[in-house]
Amino acid sequence: MTEHADHDHEHHLPPKSSVKRWLVTTNHKDIGVLYIITSLFFLVAGGILAMMIRAQLWTPGGTLLGGQGYNQAVTSHGLLMVFWFISPFAFGLANYLVPLQIGADDLAFPRLNAMSYWVYLFSGLLFLTSFFLGSSLAGGWTIYQPLNVPAFIPEVNQVGSLATIFALMLFVAAVTMGSVNFLTTFYRMRAEGLRVRDMPLFSVSILLTVWMMLFAFAALLAAVILLSFDHLLGSVWFSTAEGGSLLWAHLFWFFGHPEVYIVFFPALGVMAEVFQTFSGKRIVGRKWFVIAMALVAIQSFVVWMHHMFLTAINLPIKTIFMATTIGISLPFDLMVFALIYTLAKGKIRFKTPFLFSFGALLLFILGGITGVFLGAVVLDYQFRGTYWVVAHFHYVMFGGGTALIGGLYYWYPKMTGKMYDEFLGKVHFAMFFVGFNLLYFPMFVVWETPRRVFDYAAEFTMWHRLATVGAFLFAASFLVMIYNMFKSLHSGEEAPDNPWEYASAGEWAVPSPPPLENYPGVPSYAGGKLSFLTRSEAADGGTVVEQEVAGTEQTAPDGGAIAHAGAAATTPTTDYAEELALEDEHADHASIWPFAISASAFVTFLGLSGISKAYFIWPFVFATGFMVAYFGIEGGRREGFGWIHPVVMALGGAIAAGGAYLLAIDKGGLGAAIDGASVYFWLTTVGAFMGAATLTQLGFEEFNVPEPAIAEQWPFEAVSNVKLGMWMFLGSDVILFGAFIGSYIFMRVGHGWTDWHHDFIPEAHVVLPGLINTYLLLASSFAVVLALVAARQQNRRRLLGYLITTFLLGVGFLINKAVEWEHLFHLHEGAFADGWTFTTNIASSSFYITTGLHGAHVAVGLLITLYLIVRAYNGAYLGEEEADTIEHFGLYWHFVDIVWLFLFPLFYIL
Amino acid sequence: MGPGGISTEIAYVLGQTGGLSRTPADVFNTVYLVFLILGTLVGVVVIGYTLTKAWRYRDDGERDDESESDKVVRPVLGHLPTGSGGGKKLFVSFGISAVIVLSLIVWTYSALLFVDDTPPEVAAEGEEPLEIEVVGKQFNWEYTYPNGHTEEPTLYIPEDRPIRLKVTAADVWHNYGISEFRVKTDAIPGQTTTAWFVADETGTYEAVCYELCGSGHSAMRGDVVVMEQEEFEEWYANTTDGSTSASVNSDVTGDTDANANTNAADPAATEGEA
Ligand code: HEM
Ligand SMILES: [Cu+2]
Ligand SMILES: [Cu+2]
């Protein structure tokens, strides 16, 4: 329904027909569409690789791809599908629909949302680029160690392998930003009267998914950071014979098992929505369905070792993990039965969305039953590393994918305003479902085929050929889908607001596609039904608040009569007049910086993939100098010059000049340094400078995002969006550091806790520098507290003074650390005649990288402090509310401080 | 625990009355068969039920909504969800499925104990297991016998005698498995894992790597030759070029405890014989 005018231009947003619109938009619906299209692109990429795999398997020991090529295809296929296709596809739907379903006008942090998307896209592009840098990673999507450290990767493939690892790192960054954003949105921006448990089930499933994502991906991030340092700097985390392999397995599967539910939950949410709509029934046992999901989400973090039953773990641990694994399958039984019983007494219409969701349920039942086989440890022993596992996880994961495709058909009319072609949809389903089973079921039959191997017993040939035929049918079915989507976009029937009888969620109460601001007023569920509050001028000059109940007119299915939702039942009320006035605040919807920052990240990491160890740090030193100087320039230009600006510029210049001086010493002259720099060095430098500039621009950009004045915010009524977001981010950071510290303890226990010191650590590694740094950080935390007080009291000079104190103390911390490291690097002590560096042993690797990660947090904090100083100079942050920014920074800074209080004893005293 | 202590009981639990001649392969095959039958049954029942319901309640435009389903409250656009019935049925079926799953798993637990236990004496003569060390390396298997003799890439073993494997890796993570005898275990650098099996028929089989280990992974296979006992003894006698001290370790009677397989890294044991 597009009777409403396109208001978009009023929000500085170019029309949808312009390319620029898609680069600058921060609107959740646009970004949802971008996610969906991009993820389908990666589906095609991963699909082409899958076709190559299946072609190779046409005969045992096929020769289409070589040994390395086959491994590369298998690995990239897995990574692309699991990371770059299925979750982003689900999050495309979530981006589009969650705000509509919960009554928000956008996500809590629209620019951050855009950034998640762009970082995701560029991470995928970096992945694809890795194919052209020798080879992408070829050691399996599980990236087991030590196969994937440089020692076991041919020289020519190392750049590409590292690029793949960085791609994964960027992807995780995107996911973390997305999780923080969604969590804040869920807890702060629900429509009035909408309790968490009453949200549509798709939104419930996404809420639980982002909770799992926040923590699980932090563990993966830790693993990937460690791995990237093994590549970049030659640290020895995963090449250490005592426990390196197992360390990776633990970290990976601690992430990996929740990941399987992260993939599956959104699908479950879609199934629940579609089942309810197309059977015309509320789901049976809704409460239990939600409780079961929540249980699974929590329990998913305590089953990871069932992927390691054949490692040397002992019987009691095996028993525990067997129990938790079986335990986690039980809530799924309940959910499956709930879906099945929802069909009873329904009025089931076998439209395409339902067919896909129904098919997904059948596939999931099969996947679940075969999962119980795996839960029996004696059976798992033999299934491990075979096609049984391959078949099982395709049935569950792509079973989930099946439901998501149903979701795409279900919401296609809402997103495009056009109906898809029902006949083609059914054709797609038929080909898809037959192809799917033809492809994957034979894998159960010939499960004795080893996984990731292209040779198999000759008597299996028939079955593998069947699977290959199925694969091509399956792939072809997607061509039908893509054709349908394109065709319908141009010539599909107009879609009404609600094309589906019995649909109940909020998105169907607004036009298709919804206008930029989503609702014709402020949505509210107070009273149990969706209504919209609007404010208008009354004849006597006062304000009148009108409440329209949504969806009071039933819309005819199949697009007959198009009724506008919420036409009837207008009740004037007088409540809310004040809050509604607040809701009218102007909101921004366009910013180019998320795109620009992500592009910079792409260039930077592309460069880092090939940079040599000796050059790694310099681009960042120069970029930091540049960024600091740029703070001064932009701050002065935008807000008026004062003494602070030249000081900051000079500081930036000094950092850069100092860096150049040190580099020259290090390389024997600046000329020699430049001659020795590879193209990767220049790429990194360009990327880092772009990043410095674009981040600064983002910081100075005026971008208004009003918080809702009328909203359900339990249990976070008292905190602002930004503060809640900061908490969520720090929550994931806790896991990140926890994983680092846990890894250190794991390796140390593996070696022998007390021998560690004796075997690995030089005498010169003393307590004093750590102790001094502890005092410096504590003092700086104190200074931040005082800065906050000063800001609240609107005392500009004291605010500036305390911020500068914080900055100086932090700088002291870093300098002290640099001196300490420099000393240790260049030791000539007995066993450490060549110094104690990243590569010396696992103790040095863990010391430098863990405290280095912390140091990076300090450095970021200092850049933010400088930015705050520049802004505070011109009077920012003064006042009760304005001071919130200082408070949020304080949260971060105290957190960094607390982390140090853990690291100091662990790495200096114990 | 004496030889066959736990395992005798398990043999009993598993309903084997034919003496001690059960092997891990038998156990796997039994459990797998039971799971397959039950799994198929459950699958057919659940999927059959689902399909029937879906068809029965299809909207063919003929069923009169009011008369047949007066109790059903259809969802209305914009309304918050209200409780829907059917909770009891849900819990009954959930309970049934939970009972099936749990009892299956508990039952297999005894099988797990059997497989994870040290090998019992299987032959009537009380023959002790033959312990062989396996080292996975890109892209081959190397075997060390109790007498110090090493073989690569073919494994020679006697039939009907428990073989105990101590497995590790020299470079990257591999996984050692002989599908025919249902034996498999990880080969991890710096770790030693154990597994045991009995080959009950002579012939040539294949040991395969089940963990991606590099470009040659697909071809990382080695023959396993199972010989008659006397034939093996003969072959083995000709290989005693290893050190004599190695025989100490070959003395693995059933006296090791059930936790022997749980010890993690014990490279010393490996090196002792190499
Ligand atoms: C009925 C509940 C389930 C049970 C009992 C179960 C059990 C297992 C077990 C024990 C494994 C390890 C197999 C091995 O490598 O030895 C496994 C693998 C796997 N499962 Fe499940 N699973 C269940 C449901 C799911 C779901 C819902 C998903 C995804 C949506 C999933 C995705 C996977 C994946 C991706 C792997 C393979 C990981 C790899 O690459 O090695 N499973 N499952
Ligand atoms: Cu798992
Ligand atoms: Cu291998």
Side-chain angles (χ1 to χ4, degrees), chain B residues 174 209-213 217 220:
Chain B
H174 304 266
C209 178
Y210 287 93
E211 183 61 63
L212 183 59
C213 58
H217 169 61
M220 185 159 164

Side-chain angles (χ1 to χ4, degrees), chain B:
Chain B
M1 197 160 322
I6 283 192
S7 31
T8 319
E9 276 168 47
I10 287 153
Y12 181 76
V13 173
L14 288 175
Q16 319 153 5
T17 43
L20 285 168
S21 58
R22 281 272 146 164
T23 65
D26 298 333
V27 169
F28 173 87
N29 292 337
T30 311
V31 175
Y32 181 50
L33 189 67
V34 170
F35 268 66
L36 215 49
I37 291 169
L38 273 173
T40 311
L41 205 68
V42 169
V44 168
V45 168
V46 174
I47 290 182
Y49 179 86
T50 310
L51 288 173
T52 326
K53 285 287 165 189
W55 186 248
R56 159 99 174 68
Y57 290 104
R58 72 192 183 281
D59 183 17
D60 50 9
E62 285 171 18
R63 218 151 32 81
D64 180 5
D65 198 26
E66 302 317 313
S67 62
E68 185 171 335
S69 49
D70 29 327
K71 290 198 302 282
V72 178
V73 185
R74 304 283 172 206
V76 179
L77 180 59
H79 284 215
L80 288 181
T82 45
S84 58
K88 189 158 159 237
K89 206 158 77 173
L90 186 58
F91 272 88
V92 171
S93 6
F94 170 65
I96 295 174
S97 73
V99 167
I100 296 178
V101 170
L102 288 178
S103 43
L104 266 179
I105 297 295
V106 169
W107 169 66
T108 64
Y109 190 67
S110 46
L112 172 65
L113 293 179
F114 174 72
V115 172
D116 267 12
D117 201 355
T118 48
E121 307 163 75
V122 284
E125 304 91 302
E127 186 134 33
E128 82 267 22
L130 175 64
E131 183 164 298
I132 299 171
E133 284 164 20
V134 185
V135 179
K137 48 190 184 182
Q138 290 176 326
F139 299 97
N140 241 325
W141 303 107
E142 184 194 273
Y143 304 97
T144 307
Y145 288 81
N147 64 3
H149 173 72
T150 59
E151 272 293 332
E152 180 184 336
T154 305
L155 173 67
Y156 297 93
I157 48 168
E159 91 182 304
D160 284 339
R161 180 174 164 191
I163 311 292
R164 187 175 151 83
L165 301 174
K166 296 183 78 176
V167 183
T168 188
D171 38 42
V172 301
W173 191 318
H174 304 266
N175 178 298
Y176 184 83
I178 310 170
S179 187
E180 182 69 24
F181 306 130
R182 304 299 185 207
V183 62
K184 191 182 288 171
T185 189
D186 278 326
I188 310 171
Q191 310 278 318
T192 305
T193 59
T194 59
W196 70 278
F197 68 100
V198 180
D200 51 10
E201 211 158 335
T202 58
T204 303
Y205 308 92
E206 229 175 20
V208 175
C209 178
Y210 287 93
E211 183 61 63
L212 183 59
C213 58
S215 59
H217 169 61
S218 284
M220 185 159 164
R221 296 155 181 267
D223 281 344
V224 175
V225 177
V226 180
M227 304 188 263
E228 283 176 4
Q229 298 218 355
E230 300 82 70
E231 197 190 343
F232 176 80
E233 293 304 336
E234 213 171 292
W235 173 85
Y236 191 51
N238 284 331
T239 65
T240 43
D241 50 359
S243 67
T244 41
S245 66
S247 61
V248 177
N249 239 347
S250 73
D251 247 335
V252 186
T253 50
D255 239 30
T256 38
D257 67 15
N259 280 336
N261 62 327
T262 66
N263 88 357
D266 189 5
T270 321
E271 280 151 23
E273 295 184 17

